[in-house]
Amino acid sequence: MSEINILSPHVADLIAAGEVVERPASVIKELLENAFDAGAGNITAELRGGGMTYIRVTDDGCGMLPEDAGLCFMRHATSKLRDERGLEGIGTMGFRGEALAAIAAVSRTELTTRKKGTQQGTRVLLEAGEISEIAPRGCPEGTTLIVRDLFFNTPARLKFMKTDKAEAAACAAVALRCALGRPEVSVRLIKDGEELFFSPGDGQLSSCIYSLLGRDTAKELLACASEDEGIAVSGFVGSPRAGHGNRTKQFFFCNGRSIKSQLLQAAVEQAYRNTLLTGRYPACVIGLRLSFGAVDVNVHPAKTEVKFRDEKKVFDAVYYAALSAVEGESRTAEISLSPATRAAAAPKKDFYKTLRADEFRAGLPQNAVRAPGVAPPRAGTPASGGFSAEKGTVVWNRAPAPGASAGGTLVRESGTPYRASPRAVPAEERCPSPEAAQTEPAETSAAAQGLIPEPHGNFRLIGEAMKTYILAEKDDSLILIDKHAAHERMIFDRLKKQDRALMSQTLLVPVTLRLLADEIALLERSREALEDLGFEIEPFGADSVVIRSLPADTDAADAAAMVEEICEQLGKNGAPSGKDALDGVLHTVACKAAIRAGRSTEAGELNQIVAEVVAGRVKYCPHGRPVAVTLTKKQLDKEFSRIV
Ligand code: ADP
Ligand code: MG
């Protein structure tokens, strides 16, 4: 006797239903998407018992004719797709005709609907997919679907459900994603009688973000947009100052559909390389518009994954949109003072809670969501009157490092290959360096001598504190700058922009450095790139290299430590000629070439750094730390109780 059975349609339906309806959150998502497809302007979703006992979604969309009200629960019943040609360009959220059939198969369902412009509504009752009643019913135009006792007939699935609280949280997360993707629709979510959120539906993504994600998130976001080759990107990305510990604040949409996409995630995160600390993630709400034919949404029954026809183009579009927003960010970090001051500045409301439309409009600060490059208005700041950096070449006069001979070379003890241990690099010269500022005897530089009265551009250099921080005044703000970090960034950017070989300095006495065989191989493989940066490094015997030249701005005393660090950077990614590895090398060179904390610096150099920071060209060090903090007069006045 044959061992193979043909499953009954009932079992086959239950299996198929399981793919679409995994948990209450899937029901919420499908019902919201149906309401969007129906052209609704207002949707209310309500859940009880974590969505397991009761889900109701009401919309004011197109509604259904009486003859469709029963039909819509059949498998593969859809008004959104006619034939296979339609699959090539899907412009609706749904198209598979599966959701209502699947939901009805595993619950007790009630549909009330009235087609727009018709007089009579219809009510349909179903139990485990079977219609028990269908009758005319008076009701408003639009559709209401009630789903009770989810999985009552599939105990196996029921066992996998989490607590009501967890299921409700999943429902809220899904509903929020759906609502964020449709700023033109007002969505309200109610849980056990309490309103969880409400989006105003005014078509503005910024308002939608403000009401759904809260004020704090909204005010950190920078607008980003681009349109090229049929791909339009619009939305917001987080300020690099506001990195998060995970990716829960990243939202992606494709033609209004909330999607998960590692491609888009990578594109956004790539734009923050060198501005966001490792392990921190940017927030973003990014929407893509592209022709329906350029994306395949039919990859998975839940339709949360999509396939782009040209992934590279999509990646680039998102990457450059995010990058221009990040680069346009021109605000320096603001300092936090005492807890009292912080409390005064803190938002008074819990903005995660629902705001009514009028409350919400009244509360929206003008700069809640800023356009890229537009700094928040500050009292006393003239609207125009930008700063123009001083012209002329900058000469970075650095004091010779201890241990460097007059000729800028390192004299090595004969016989012992030089291998710098971390300790060999003085603490104040490593990154991060500020906290390690050392107490050298007072210097005679202008900065060390006191105030520099000359106003410079639109700021005034006050001087240098602890040989580590630059103090400057601009308008009604005091700016504190980490001089090493800022200068490191300036050099890093310059190195990155450079398209020809850098100036090199030949060491009077070449430095020999013992390395592992694979480190030597890495240096060999990257030889050309390193030469462009000013390094001349040759193999020397089986286990050593000889360093003959270094980039012009670096210290000969750092030669060995620098090359070791470069080996580490090149080895890290297993891609020695890859961009990441070269960025790492540039970090090393920039760090070594930058002026150091713990040593006094000429006023001219300090002025140049402040000029770059004030002009918004230098915001983060290459490791992602902010280079400057500002302290406003208002904050100080509060500290001193001049104002309350
Ligand atoms: P799909 O959305 O993939 O077409 P569904 O099973 O979700 O499949 O819905 C089946 C059909 O029922 C839809 O194509 C649509 O015609 C109709 N429908 C479902 N929900 C609504 C609604 N809220 N308003 C109007 N029509 C609806
Ligand atoms: Mg649907």
Side-chain angles (χ1 to χ4, degrees):
M1 192 182 125
S2 163
E3 291 183 344
I4 295 178
N5 298 315
I6 304 291
L7 293 175
S8 71
H10 173 65
V11 178
D13 282 355
L14 280 181
I15 292 172
E19 276 191 355
V20 180
V21 188
E22 267 183 77
R23 58 195 300 194
S26 340
V27 176
I28 290 274
K29 173 181 168 289
E30 293 296 340
L31 298 186
L32 286 177
E33 289 189 350
N34 277 350
F36 292 146
D37 283 345
N42 296 282
I43 306 174
T44 301
E46 193 182 342
L47 51 112
R48 289 186 216 145
M52 292 300 298
T53 49
Y54 184 89
I55 293 175
R56 184 175 65 126
V57 174
T58 299
D59 68 60
D60 59 358
C62 63
M64 285 181 255
L65 291 167
E67 51 269 42
D68 286 338
L71 207 58
C72 68
F73 291 103
M74 304 285 292
R75 256 189 99 188
H76 311 304
T78 180
S79 54
K80 302 166 196 173
L81 185 65
R82 288 231 165 269
D83 52 35
E84 65 194 49
R85 274 171 300 157
L87 272 179
E88 284 160 26
I90 288 164
T92 46
M93 301 281 107
F95 58 92
R96 299 169 65 109
E98 280 183 331
L100 290 188
I103 292 166
V106 292
S107 68
R108 297 187 171 96
T109 310
E110 177 180 337
L111 163 75
T112 316
T113 186
R114 173 150 76 94
K115 182 89 187 159
K116 260 201 176 133
T118 66
Q119 296 305 311
Q120 188 66 61
T122 313
R123 187 174 80 147
V124 186
L125 297 179
L126 301 100
E127 182 150 338
E130 297 293 325
I131 295 181
S132 58
E133 189 187 312
I134 180 160
R137 180 82 166 209
C139 62
E141 289 178 338
T143 302
T144 295
L145 247 143
I146 302 177
V147 178
R148 295 187 175 89
D149 307 327
L150 191 65
F151 302 130
F152 80 97
N153 56 339
T154 53
R157 179 56 66 93
L158 203 54
K159 270 195 234 147
F160 282 94
M161 292 304 113
K162 302 203 173 112
T163 58
D164 285 1
K165 207 170 154 199
E167 293 302 336
C171 288
V174 160
L176 185 133
R177 279 180 182 273
C178 289
L180 255 187
R182 293 300 186 116
E184 73 282 12
V185 183
S186 169
V187 181
R188 187 182 298 276
L189 180 69
I190 299 166
K191 181 191 133 221
D192 299 316
E194 193 194 331
E195 195 172 70
L196 281 191
F197 70 69
F198 158 78
S199 66
D202 60 1
Q204 301 294 318
L205 180 58
S206 53
S207 349
C208 202
I209 292 174
Y210 185 81
S211 54
L212 295 177
L213 301 181
R215 192 182 93 140
D216 288 349
T217 303
K219 75 176 185 200
E220 289 301 345
L221 292 178
L222 314 161
C224 73
S226 73
E227 184 151 14
D228 194 24
E229 297 192 57
I231 302 173
V233 180
S234 62
F236 295 89
V237 293
S239 153
R241 282 197 300 113
H244 298 272
N246 55 38
R247 296 189 170 102
T248 50
K249 288 205 169 143
Q250 295 187 349
F251 301 91
F252 298 102
F253 301 91
C254 176
N255 292 336
R257 181 191 305 278
S258 164
I259 56 163
K260 288 184 189 147
S261 168
Q262 288 188 349
L263 180 84
L264 303 188
Q265 198 175 290
V268 169
E269 287 173 15
Q270 179 96 352
Y272 287 80
R273 238 179 26 165
N274 307 317
T275 51
L276 205 55
L277 285 174
T278 322
R280 306 289 290 168
Y281 302 95
C284 66
V285 181
I286 299 259
L288 278 180
R289 288 261 157 219
L290 61 178
S291 70
F292 299 133
V295 53
D296 184 1
V297 288
N298 194 16
V299 180
H300 186 265
K303 296 166 288 186
T304 46
E305 280 156 42
V306 297
K307 184 124 194 59
F308 297 108
R309 203 171 55 196
D310 192 337
E311 295 200 332
K312 170 90 175 69
K313 261 193 207 161
V314 171
F315 181 95
D316 284 350
V318 173
Y319 169 68
Y320 286 111
L323 189 68
S324 62
V326 173
E327 288 191 339
E329 155 78 304
S330 63
R331 199 170 63 154
T332 50
E334 266 178 26
I335 226 167
S336 279
L337 293 173
S338 63
T341 312
R342 269 202 303 274
K348 301 279 183 293
K349 259 183 172 175
D350 177 4
F351 281 91
Y352 217 91
K353 288 189 105 181
T354 306
L355 295 181
R356 286 196 325 271
D358 51 335
E359 285 174 336
F360 148 78
R361 277 194 194 95
L364 187 67
Q366 278 186 336
N367 61 337
V369 182
R370 301 188 307 280
V374 179
R378 241 183 228 145
T381 310
S384 60
F387 170 75
S388 77
E390 210 184 32
K391 289 206 179 72
T393 329
V394 190
V395 182
W396 302 103
N397 300 314
R398 295 187 304 106
S405 73
T409 53
L410 179 80
V411 185
R412 183 173 60 87
E413 276 176 49
S414 60
T416 45
Y418 182 86
R419 177 175 270 279
S421 71
R423 252 176 250 282
V425 184
E428 73 275 18
E429 293 170 17
R430 270 182 270 132
C431 289
S433 50
E435 62 277 8
Q438 300 300 306
T439 46
E440 270 182 22
E443 301 270 333
T444 50
S445 77
Q449 280 168 358
L451 296 189
I452 292 161
E454 191 106 330
H456 188 99
N458 63 349
F459 66 85
R460 187 175 72 90
L461 176 70
I462 299 170
E464 187 179 22
M466 299 155 222
K467 296 179 189 147
T468 301
Y469 300 108
I470 309 171
L471 269 73
E473 179 186 357
K474 180 178 183 286
D475 301 326
D476 61 349
S477 292
L478 182 65
I479 308 169
L480 288 101
I481 298 167
D482 177 333
K483 69 175 179 183
H484 171 80
H487 191 203
E488 188 183 353
R489 178 78 213 194
M490 287 159 68
I491 297 174
F492 178 78
D493 286 348
R494 205 182 64 208
L495 293 178
K496 274 206 87 146
K497 269 199 212 128
Q498 201 94 17
D499 52 3
R500 37 195 175 86
L502 291 183
M503 293 278 285
S504 175
Q505 54 168 321
T506 306
L507 301 184
L508 284 184
V509 180
V511 175
T512 311
L513 173 68
R514 178 176 282 179
L515 291 171
L516 299 172
D518 54 348
E519 290 176 317
I520 297 174
L522 283 172
L523 290 175
E524 265 303 284
R525 264 190 275 166
S526 306
R527 190 178 187 146
E528 219 171 291
L530 290 172
E531 276 173 5
D532 281 353
L533 286 173
F535 289 97
E536 202 187 322
I537 307 167
E538 287 167 9
F540 187 67
D543 59 358
S544 300
V545 292
V546 57
I547 308 165
R548 297 194 185 283
S549 308
L550 291 180
D553 285 334
T554 56
D555 241 316
D558 289 331
M562 216 184 327
V563 171
E564 282 184 330
E565 223 176 277
I566 286 171
C567 289
E568 199 185 316
Q569 298 285 1
L570 292 173
K572 238 182 223 166
N573 311 285
S577 57
K579 250 184 157 185
D580 286 350
L582 279 182
D583 265 6
V585 175
L586 298 186
H587 282 169
T588 304
V589 175
C591 179
K592 294 293 188 274
I595 52 170
R596 302 190 173 175
R599 296 184 197 166
S600 295
T601 310
E602 293 294 319
E605 293 182 65
L606 298 178
N607 263 321
Q608 286 295 334
I609 295 174
V610 181
E612 290 296 297
V613 172
V614 166
R617 286 189 287 272
V618 172
K619 286 156 259 168
Y620 302 91
C621 84
H623 310 275
R625 285 184 292 277
V627 300
V629 290
T630 60
L631 191 52
T632 61
K633 179 160 186 299
K634 200 166 162 197
Q635 280 176 296
L636 282 170
D637 287 347
K638 271 192 185 158
E639 271 308 289
F640 289 104
S641 303
R642 282 171 158 268
I643 55 169
V644 279

